[in-house]
């Protein structure tokens, strides 16, 4: 079965409600940005399209809507490191602190407290973002290794969709889990702690994948419920939109479902995977054989070694549990 408690996950997420509210506000703003940008782009395109004969207005509206969509996407891509810094890392720090029995402030003080803990470990947003990118590079290498191990098995390709979904949970949230591990290891260089955390994750890949199956099922079930709720209003919007723009109603439903998933469901997955990771690595130290495998498979993992400087630090704030030796 699984090595985590759904009740504990819900309790942790509820106790970090300021971050959940912040996530809702941010992702609601993103959805609003998409809607406004697409609407303005479509309106401008419709007006300009009247300068041309035939279906110029509808074509112009379609081009304008796509342009507006692309503009917001580009802004999000530019601002992504600050979203990581302010939301993801801070929320992960709060969840991990509560999981290890620490008391946190409530309200906006909780966000300030957790963000300060992140800043104390990474000093600047570009340091956190750089390490986060390197962790994702290692994750891609792990995905490649797993695909090589399973790709030759007869019938496995038919299960690729579900396998990919599990990998997205088992490995897609690795950066959040490793960020929590780095913050916990206060006296250790962030890059060194990241290497140790990744090795511990890799050497417990079987247990983590088993837990990820159940988390994936939970995510898909909750996301399906959200999408079904949103499809009704989306279809009504699609009817109201002219011609070629009707499809954007369904697109908005998927964007809104993604936003709610990121705001409400993802924290539950992180809290569950944090529990499973803690149980899996309890009492373990990084296996040199796995360190060598990751060094050979991932240039990003080797880059983390290049960032490591100085001796190992003192024990982190949560004691020896989960700390690599």
């Amino acid at each position: 079965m699984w090595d985590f408690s759904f009740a504990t996950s819900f309790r942790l997420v509820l106790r970090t409600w300021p971050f959940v509210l912040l996530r809702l506000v941010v992702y609601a703003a993103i959805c609003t940005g998409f809607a406004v940008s697409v609407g303005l782009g479509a309106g401008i395109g419709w007006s300009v399209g009247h300068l041309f004969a035939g279906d110029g207005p509808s074509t112009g509206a379609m081009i304008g809507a796509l342009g507006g969509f692309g503009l917001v996407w580009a802004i999000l891509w530019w601002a992504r490191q600050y979203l990581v810094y302010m939301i993801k890392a801070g929320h992960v720090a709060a969840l991990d602190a509560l999981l290890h029995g620490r008391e946190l402030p409530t309200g906006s003080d909780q966000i300030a407290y957790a963000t300060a803990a992140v800043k104390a470990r990474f000093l600047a947003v570009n340091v956190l973002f750089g390490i986060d990118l390197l962790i994702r590079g290692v994750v891609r290498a792990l995905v490649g290794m797993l695909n090589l191990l399973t790709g030759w098995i007869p019938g496995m390709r038919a299960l690729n969709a579900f396998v990919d979904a599990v990998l997205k949970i088992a490995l897609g949230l690795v950066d959040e889990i490793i960020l929590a591990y780095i913050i916990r290891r206060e006296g250790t260089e962030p890059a060194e702690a990241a290497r140790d955390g990744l090795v511990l994750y890799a050497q417990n890949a079987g247990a983590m994948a088993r837990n990820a199956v159940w988390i994936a099922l939970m995510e898909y079930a909750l996301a399906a419920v959200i999408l079904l709720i949103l499809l009704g209003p989306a279809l009504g919007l699609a009817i109201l939109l002219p011609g070629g723009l009707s499809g954007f109603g369904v697109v908005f439903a998927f964007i809104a479902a993604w936003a709610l998933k990121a705001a409400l469901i993802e924290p539950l997955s992180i809290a569950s995977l944090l529990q499973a990771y803690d149980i899996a690595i309890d009492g373990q130290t990084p296996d040199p054989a796995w360190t060598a495998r990751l060094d050979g498979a991932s240039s990003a993992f080797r880059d983390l070694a290049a960032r490591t400087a100085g001796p190992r630090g003192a024990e982190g704030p949560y004691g020896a549990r989960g700390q690599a030796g």
Side-chain angles (χ1 to χ4, degrees):
M1 295 293 284
W2 52 82
D3 300 321
F4 57 88
S5 164
F6 281 111
T8 299
S9 298
F10 277 105
R11 178 175 58 82
L12 291 174
V13 172
L14 285 175
R15 290 186 65 186
T16 58
W17 64 263
F19 275 101
V20 175
L21 184 60
L22 178 61
R23 280 174 174 263
L24 281 171
V25 170
V26 169
Y27 287 108
I30 290 172
C31 287
T32 302
F34 273 116
V36 171
S37 183
V38 168
L40 286 175
I44 294 172
W46 180 271
S47 300
V48 174
H50 280 89
L51 300 175
F52 303 92
D55 57 354
S58 58
T59 301
M62 176 63 72
I63 294 173
L66 290 173
F69 187 91
L71 176 63
V72 174
W73 188 265
I75 293 172
L76 287 178
W77 178 257
W78 176 80
R80 68 196 185 284
Q81 57 181 321
Y82 297 97
L83 293 176
V84 167
Y85 196 57
M86 293 299 296
I87 299 176
K88 183 173 74 172
H91 200 181
V92 166
L95 289 169
D96 192 64
L98 288 172
L99 180 61
H100 289 85
R102 301 188 73 182
E103 291 297 324
L104 295 182
T106 58
S108 60
D109 289 342
Q110 183 181 108
I111 296 174
Y113 178 88
T115 304
V118 174
K119 289 179 179 178
R121 290 297 281 130
F122 297 100
L123 301 180
V125 61
N126 62 312
V127 176
L128 168 60
F129 190 60
I131 289 179
D132 187 65
L133 286 179
L134 290 175
I135 292 171
R136 287 178 178 271
V138 178
V139 169
R140 286 193 293 271
L142 286 172
V143 172
M145 291 169 65
L146 288 175
N147 285 336
L148 285 174
L149 290 173
T150 60
W152 60 272
I153 301 175
M156 279 300 294
R157 294 190 181 279
L159 298 175
N160 267 352
F162 184 70
V163 170
D164 286 346
V166 172
L167 288 178
K168 284 178 181 177
I169 302 299
L171 297 175
L173 295 177
V174 170
D175 53 340
E176 279 92 340
I177 305 306
I178 302 306
L179 283 176
Y181 185 82
I182 293 171
I183 294 168
R184 191 186 313 167
R185 295 276 302 277
E186 280 185 339
T188 308
E189 281 284 323
E192 182 183 359
R195 277 175 62 89
D196 287 348
L198 285 163
V199 171
L200 288 168
Y201 199 104
Q203 68 192 46
N204 291 281
M208 298 309 296
R210 171 169 50 81
N211 284 277
V213 170
W214 295 105
I215 296 174
L217 291 173
M218 175 195 72
E219 273 206 1
Y220 274 89
L222 293 175
V225 170
I226 290 174
L227 184 59
L228 286 174
I229 292 172
L230 293 174
L231 272 180
L235 291 175
L237 178 62
I239 293 172
L240 294 175
L241 290 173
L245 296 179
S246 59
F248 278 100
V250 178
V251 171
F252 286 137
F254 278 95
I255 292 174
W258 162 78
L260 288 173
K261 176 181 175 296
L264 301 176
I265 301 176
E266 187 177 284
L268 290 172
S269 298
I270 294 171
S272 300
L273 213 57
L274 277 172
Q275 295 174 64
Y277 182 70
D278 265 15
I279 292 171
I281 70 171
D282 191 16
Q284 294 186 12
T285 56
D287 185 346
W290 267 107
T291 302
R293 288 191 190 102
L294 289 177
D295 271 327
S298 171
S299 61
F301 192 73
R302 295 192 296 273
D303 288 342
L304 282 171
R307 284 174 174 251
T308 302
R312 286 174 180 263
E315 185 174 288
Y318 309 130
R321 179 180 180 179
Q323 176 172 326

